Amino acid sequence: MTHHATQPTAPANAPAHAGIYRYDAVDRQFVAERVAQFRDQVQRRLSGVLSEEEFRPLRLMNGLYLQLHAYMLRIAIPYGTLTGQQLRALAGIGRRYDKGYGHFTTRQNLQFNWIRLEDTPDILEALGAVDMHAIQTSGNCIRNVTTDQFAGVAADAVADPRVYAEILRQWSTLHPEFTFLPRKFKIAIIAGDHDRAVIRAHDVGVKVKTNEAGAIGFEVYVGGGLGRSPFLGQKTRDWVDEQDLIAYLEAVLRVYNRLGRRDNIYKARIKILLHQTGLAKFTEMVEEEFASLRGPRYHLDPAIVAEIRRHFAPPPYDDLAETAVDAVPGTAFARWLETNVAAHRQPGYAAVTVSLKPAGGIPGDATSDQMEVVADLADRFSFGEVRVTHAQNLVLPHVRRADLAEVFAALDAAGLGAANVGTIADIIACPGLDYCSLANARSIPLAQELSRRFADPERQKAIGDVSIKMSGCINACGHHHVASIGVLGVDKHGKEAYQLTLGGDPTLNAAIGDLLGPAMAEEEVADAVEKVVDLYLARREPGERFNDTLARLGRAAFKETVYAAG
């Protein structure tokens, strides 16, 4: 998969204009050979030739985890972009091999939680038929590169970051030096000032920018990561020329691969190396390595960039005027227009976020039937393209404004009409102890309870953009550290308990939330969150956002409210 771009050929029935990288014959042969290899490995495991200990690294290289109740298969969705055909294939896999649904994750992947080992080769073969796989969704390698769900659509972006995400995907796939890093490695990339990919919470965050001459370059942050020891990425370079992108990231990875700790899993991420080394010394080592790599061998050929960019060319939009959409105030459609529909750089079009957060629902879950509805809508109204957001929603990126009413009606009929994107009900949650073998506590029941508590649209509007994010353990897959109100599941004397954090921020001005106080029982959490929100509403000044009120009042005021007796 790491090769120079060649003439692409689309899979049968693939939408001609969806903005995806289209596999060529080399890609397809590679995936097919990998499926055949894993089929043999599974057969040897089932026959007892391989022990679980021997089989474990082999299955993890194909995204297959063994969780509490069953195998979980994590499928890569590169930079969160799918065709309708691919989403329909995922729906079919969910229906045939799982329990009729799938779970979209904070890293723009999809997980099936009830997979049988003997079915996995057939699943991977079905994925390969639509140019998908599960490679590098696990293990100590470079994982799925994530990006802005409005890539190529948002007016504030200077370029389409998927072009560079795809280049990084090809560079990192089976990279001979970086297949066995000290720990997993995550990269996110954006191309505007509005960070919709939380880049400073990644091992490497990249911001595409332009200089005064209009040339493309990159601002690079290194050493971000949540989990047990949360750190925000620090800027190591304000500008990297486009042609040097691979050389610079190769330098960062080489320093990490050489000096990152392998004796302690909790201190193995690059954030610990940077923290212990210090930004100045770490940057000096990277620059030294970069100087040795910089040159023709690692130059990013403009012809390759141009070829990759061709895969993400804008679809053939109609020449439309920008028009208002009629909606009766106070109706569900009017609310949906307000919360779930984003501006598009092309006049007459909009980007539609499909909320996977119905009141009382499980964040990020979609049934196979719902996936097929979204796939059909993508084919009819969005040039066959679907995006996955890090906030566990889906996006139809190119909908004519004149079609919005019809799209909403179809979504609403499928249980996908929740008008709550960007509100307090747009909760992020990991699978928690219902599925995950690492979790200390359940996330899903609490997320469902909180979504019911904050289901009133008028209350959501009054509260504004306060976010709730939940993790079932310190690994922080639910991004609780960067939430306005974070909920962390912990083990307290053998029982599930929860801590609250306040004041996190996922933007380029990122902040890690502070712990509010002692852990509490599950039945106390929703009331505690409501107390935090009520105090904010009561004490905020006009136009003041949650973190501003928190800073002005101080954490003690919120702590006193939450932990007050009676």
Side-chain angles (χ1 to χ4, degrees):
M1 304 263 290
T2 305
H3 57 87
H4 293 295
T6 57
Q7 187 63 31
T9 54
N13 302 318
H17 302 295
I20 61 166
Y21 171 77
R22 293 163 193 278
Y23 281 19
D24 59 23
V26 176
D27 297 321
R28 295 210 179 89
Q29 181 180 353
F30 167 76
V31 172
E33 289 175 353
R34 188 64 175 261
V35 171
Q37 185 185 56
F38 191 57
R39 189 180 293 281
D40 176 66
Q41 292 163 351
V42 168
Q43 190 55 45
R44 285 190 286 152
R45 172 67 187 118
L46 291 171
S47 67
V49 173
L50 292 177
S51 67
E52 168 55 23
E53 184 178 0
E54 293 168 325
F55 181 60
R56 183 174 181 273
L58 303 176
R59 64 173 168 76
L60 289 177
M61 291 178 73
N62 291 281
L64 189 65
Y65 291 71
L66 184 55
Q67 296 286 49
L68 285 176
H69 311 296
Y71 286 97
M72 179 272 282
L73 182 64
R74 180 180 295 153
I75 295 164
I77 301 175
Y79 29 90
T81 301
L82 288 165
T83 65
Q85 181 198 33
Q86 290 173 327
L87 184 56
R88 204 171 285 110
L90 294 174
I93 290 170
R95 183 177 290 117
R96 180 171 181 182
Y97 298 107
D98 200 279
K99 295 190 175 184
Y101 65 92
H103 176 77
F104 291 96
T105 76
T106 53
R107 299 216 73 256
Q108 300 179 311
N109 291 315
L110 179 75
Q111 294 180 179
F112 288 119
N113 286 309
W114 297 99
I115 294 300
R116 298 192 315 163
L117 175 58
E118 53 267 45
D119 290 333
T120 50
D122 290 340
I123 295 172
L124 295 180
E125 187 171 306
L127 289 172
V130 290
D131 295 352
M132 299 186 75
H133 59 71
I135 297 166
Q136 292 188 202
T137 59
S138 178
N140 295 333
C141 55
I142 301 174
R143 303 286 188 88
N144 187 32
V145 178
T146 58
T147 191
D148 181 358
Q149 71 269 21
F150 296 144
V153 170
D156 65 344
V158 300
D160 189 333
R162 292 175 302 170
V163 174
Y164 302 99
E166 172 58 30
I167 289 168
L168 296 180
R169 187 188 71 85
Q170 294 198 20
W171 161 70
S172 62
T173 299
L174 301 188
H175 191 298
E177 281 188 60
F178 306 142
T179 299
F180 298 99
L181 292 164
R183 278 289 282 146
K184 57 188 173 183
F185 201 90
K186 301 175 181 178
I187 301 174
I189 181 167
I190 60 172
D193 291 332
H194 192 160
D195 183 0
R196 285 175 285 260
V198 203
I199 65 169
R200 292 191 63 196
H202 284 73
D203 296 287
V204 164
V206 179
K207 180 186 175 189
V208 187
K209 57 200 290 190
T210 54
N211 63 16
E212 292 180 352
I216 292 280
F218 308 93
E219 187 174 295
V220 180
Y221 297 82
V222 178
L226 304 178
R228 183 179 302 269
S229 303
F231 287 99
L232 298 174
Q234 301 187 60
K235 189 189 294 188
T236 56
R237 261 225 168 211
D238 189 63
W239 181 267
V240 176
D241 289 339
E242 183 184 68
Q243 65 177 4
D244 291 328
L245 175 64
I246 298 302
Y248 188 75
L249 295 188
E250 185 99 7
V252 172
L253 266 294
R254 281 191 177 188
V255 170
Y256 171 52
N257 203 23
R258 188 168 68 241
L259 300 177
R261 291 184 61 171
R262 297 173 188 269
D263 62 329
N264 186 331
I265 191 173
Y266 302 116
K267 297 183 178 179
R269 298 288 291 269
I270 194 172
K271 61 186 178 184
I272 303 297
L273 173 64
L274 191 149
H275 176 69
Q276 294 182 338
T277 305
L279 178 62
K281 178 62 178 175
F282 180 86
T283 303
E284 180 185 325
M285 290 189 292
V286 170
E287 288 295 328
E288 186 177 333
E289 190 73 36
F290 181 42
S292 72
L293 294 172
R294 208 172 188 176
R297 183 181 174 191
Y298 284 92
H299 273 176
L300 186 53
D301 187 341
I304 289 180
V305 178
E307 174 58 28
I308 297 293
R309 185 174 289 117
R310 198 167 66 82
H311 293 258
F312 301 97
Y317 298 116
D318 291 333
D319 187 12
L320 301 173
E322 190 68 20
T323 56
V325 179
D326 291 333
V328 178
T331 61
F333 178 52
R335 287 195 296 272
W336 182 80
L337 285 176
E338 192 173 333
T339 56
N340 293 42
V341 176
H344 199 291
R345 65 192 313 158
Q346 179 69 22
Y349 285 81
V352 169
T353 301
V354 181
S355 172
L356 300 181
K357 320 286 177 61
I362 299 173
D365 273 16
T367 67
S368 291
D369 289 347
Q370 289 175 324
M371 286 189 245
E372 287 172 346
V373 167
V374 175
D376 290 345
L377 290 173
D379 288 346
R380 289 180 60 199
F381 297 106
S382 189
F383 297 99
E385 189 173 326
V386 183
R387 311 277 180 86
V388 183
T389 81
H390 87 274
Q392 301 177 290
N393 293 313
L394 300 177
V395 168
L396 298 170
H398 315 288
V399 179
R400 296 189 345 161
R401 295 180 68 81
D403 294 330
L404 287 171
E406 190 174 352
V407 169
F408 171 71
L411 290 172
D412 199 36
L416 295 168
N420 58 14
V421 172
T423 75
I424 194 168
D426 193 2
I427 297 169
I428 290 177
C430 71
L433 197 54
D434 284 290
Y435 297 100
C436 182
S437 59
L438 301 176
N440 296 124
R442 290 168 295 171
S443 302
I444 291 173
L446 261 181
Q448 292 174 296
E449 170 63 16
L450 286 166
S451 75
R452 284 189 286 267
R453 294 267 188 131
F454 293 103
D456 178 11
E458 293 304 317
R459 193 178 182 204
Q460 291 171 8
K461 188 173 182 179
I463 294 169
D465 62 355
V466 174
S467 61
I468 299 175
K469 301 178 183 180
M470 306 180 55
S471 303
C473 75
I474 198 63
N475 288 302
C477 294
H479 291 189
H480 68 276
H481 290 299
V482 290
S484 310
I485 304 171
V487 182
L488 168 63
V490 297
D491 181 306
K492 188 175 182 179
H493 309 307
K495 293 183 178 179
E496 296 174 52
Y498 299 85
Q499 296 174 339
L500 297 189
T501 58
L502 300 185
D505 184 347
T507 70
L508 285 175
N509 298 315
I512 302 294
D514 291 323
L515 181 65
L516 184 63
M520 60 189 73
E522 178 180 349
E523 58 271 21
E524 298 173 313
V525 175
D527 286 343
V529 171
E530 288 223 61
K531 289 176 181 176
V532 169
V533 172
D534 288 344
L535 179 62
Y536 164 60
L537 294 177
R539 299 289 300 276
R540 70 179 173 186
E541 294 183 347
E544 199 172 53
R545 300 180 67 185
F546 179 83
N547 283 3
D548 299 326
T549 305
L550 174 65
R552 180 171 55 79
L553 296 180
R555 187 168 56 91
F558 287 86
K559 182 175 182 179
E560 183 179 341
T561 296
V562 168
Y563 292 95

